[in-house]
Amino acid sequence: MKRILAIVLSLVMIISIFAGCGALPSPSPSPTTGGPTTSGPKEKVSLKIWGSQEDQAMLATMVESFKVANPDKDYDITFGVVSEADTKTKVLEDPAAAADVFAFASDQIKDLVSAGALYEITRNKDKITSENMEGSVDAATVNGKLYAYPETADNGYFMYYDKSVFSEEDVKSLDKMLDVANSKGKKVFMDVSNGWYIASFFLGAGCTLTISEDGKQKCDFNNERGVLAGEAIKEFTAHPAFVTGDDAVLKGGIGSTIAAGVSGTWNAEDIKSILGDNYAATKLPTFTLGDEQVQMGSFAGYKLVGVNSQTKAPVEAMNLAEWLTNEQNQILRFETRAMGPSNIKAANSSAVQENAALAALAEQNQFASSQKDVLGSFWAPAEAFGTAMEAKDYSKSIKEQLDAMVAQIEG
């Protein structure tokens, strides 16, 4: 009996050992992960995006790729139509009702930050700042803090020109361009009565627009170099080869009476279709400031993507905003809507570099100043000075006119 009992106990022990070593069947692999299936529903995240009407289909494509890249959560992402120009107004009307993620023009950032409407970007900050152009990062930064993701770097201006009239050497100097155009019965176009464009001379001279600690506009366009810039504008507008007007004037005359003109990427397709093989674009030229040649400056505007400070999902909103503005999607934005990337790698891609207008803008952006320090008080006085120059109103000296302009700007 003892012998039989020992045999039974031994058999029980052997069975136990095999069971403990995993000899029993294991769960079947998951068809999607290759491992055991997990239990429980995925976390649901609801977000809303605002973008322009023209961007809606493109944004939907970007969102789908975001979902594919982040399968661990169940994203419910909806869309609203708000143009970048209107974003600040809509957000400040009711920040709690605004989208979690929204695109806006860079000149709105200080007002949005002052109103406490933007969430400070704290995730992957070093990566974002290193991957985008310095100017675009500066435009997204207030008081040393990053408040938005750079999206585009294409809201600026440069020189279109007719290659049958000018050589590449000619367009390096405004004086040379005027002389060549005049000798051939042609014109050089610039809307000098627009403060956005006329600032080129003052910025090139080293003058600045800043904001004081009490939030007021400061302008030194009437200093010694500013006066020299004003004299240069006077000479330019008095030249027989100068012509001014709006976009319709430029597009109506380019290729016939107008041989070159200052404008932006929004006119690229029309001007290219008119000039055909003679189509070309480059940075702005140098101009004579006193007894030296200086490079014309410009304003650089950027489109940014911000996160609502009242979002209920700040981490997920930042992840989405970063995705919408990454290299891959900046290239998609260029391919879809011909928008100039702020991402350095995207901007240096062969496709972007082959676009003459964007290449010219990128070249000019080296000499551009951000608009984030330009307040509304600047535009009307600058326009008035430009209008006086176009009308050849010399009833007061350039110094007197600039003193009056700056007094109005600083208010």
Side-chain angles (χ1 to χ4, degrees), residues 34-335:
T37 55
T38 57
S39 61
K42 293 188 289 186
E43 178 186 352
K44 186 170 183 177
V45 179
S46 297
L47 295 169
K48 185 173 184 178
I49 301 174
W50 277 353
S52 67
Q53 180 64 61
E54 298 81 3
D55 284 354
Q56 293 297 304
M58 180 180 66
L59 286 172
T61 299
M62 293 176 178
V63 164
E64 286 308 307
S65 65
F66 175 75
K67 291 178 180 178
V68 171
N70 295 275
D72 56 319
K73 294 183 181 177
D74 179 14
Y75 287 96
D76 176 24
I77 300 176
T78 56
F79 303 86
V81 176
V82 177
S83 74
E84 292 89 351
D86 297 331
T87 299
K88 182 184 76 173
T89 300
K90 294 294 289 184
V91 169
L92 298 186
E93 279 178 2
D94 187 355
D100 300 275
V101 175
F102 45 75
F104 63 95
S106 59
D107 59 352
Q108 301 173 16
I109 192 167
K110 287 204 169 181
D111 288 337
L112 288 169
V113 170
S114 296
L118 289 175
Y119 197 96
E120 182 185 349
I121 308 307
T122 55
R123 293 175 62 81
N124 301 327
K125 180 178 177 180
D126 290 343
K127 180 175 182 289
I128 295 159
T129 56
S130 65
E131 290 182 350
N132 287 279
M133 297 176 185
E134 182 179 353
S136 68
V137 173
D138 179 66
T141 303
V142 177
N143 297 327
K145 296 180 180 180
L146 187 68
Y147 282 100
Y149 298 82
E151 180 184 61
T152 71
D154 58 3
N155 190 22
Y157 45 94
F158 47 90
M159 183 72 76
Y160 289 103
Y161 70 96
D162 185 337
K163 288 194 292 186
S164 70
V165 177
F166 299 110
S167 69
E168 291 184 4
E169 190 64 29
D170 292 337
V171 296
K172 293 180 180 179
S173 161
L174 181 59
D175 295 337
K176 181 68 173 178
M177 291 184 73
L178 291 169
D179 289 344
V180 170
N182 194 48
S183 70
K184 297 182 179 182
K186 304 289 185 179
K187 302 288 186 181
V188 175
F189 170 93
M190 186 174 183
D191 186 2
V192 171
S193 60
N194 185 317
W196 203 48
Y197 296 110
I198 197 175
S200 295
F201 291 90
F202 297 103
L203 296 173
C207 299
T208 59
L209 285 162
T210 56
I211 299 176
S212 64
E213 291 184 1
D214 58 357
K216 293 184 178 181
Q217 185 76 77
K218 302 298 293 181
C219 176
D220 63 2
F221 285 13
N222 60 337
N223 65 17
E224 183 178 352
R225 290 180 70 81
V227 172
L228 291 176
E231 295 288 354
I233 295 169
K234 177 180 177 180
E235 291 188 22
F236 176 39
T237 54
H239 198 284
F242 167 77
V243 67
T244 189
D246 58 15
D247 283 352
V249 172
L250 172 61
K251 291 188 287 186
I254 196 76
S256 56
T257 57
I258 296 175
V262 177
S263 189
T265 57
W266 53 90
N267 285 323
E269 290 304 312
D270 288 339
I271 293 176
K272 183 178 181 180
S273 67
I274 294 168
L275 291 179
D277 291 341
N278 291 320
Y279 170 74
T282 187
K283 70 173 181 63
L284 298 179
T286 63
F287 70 99
T288 301
L289 184 78
D291 58 0
E292 62 179 314
Q293 284 290 301
V294 299
Q295 171 64 48
M296 292 180 75
S298 60
F299 279 131
Y302 304 88
K303 289 180 181 178
L304 309 172
V305 173
V307 172
N308 190 337
S309 62
Q310 296 194 32
T311 180
K312 295 178 181 178
V315 172
E316 298 300 336
M318 283 190 281
N319 287 342
L320 177 58
E322 184 176 353
W323 180 266
L324 295 175
T325 57
N326 65 14
E327 178 187 352
Q328 167 191 333
N329 283 316
Q330 289 205 26
I331 290 175
L332 176 61
R333 193 170 280 106
F334 164 73
E335 293 172 342

Side-chain angles (χ1 to χ4, degrees), residues 5 379 390:
L5 181 59
W379 304 108
E390 289 180 348

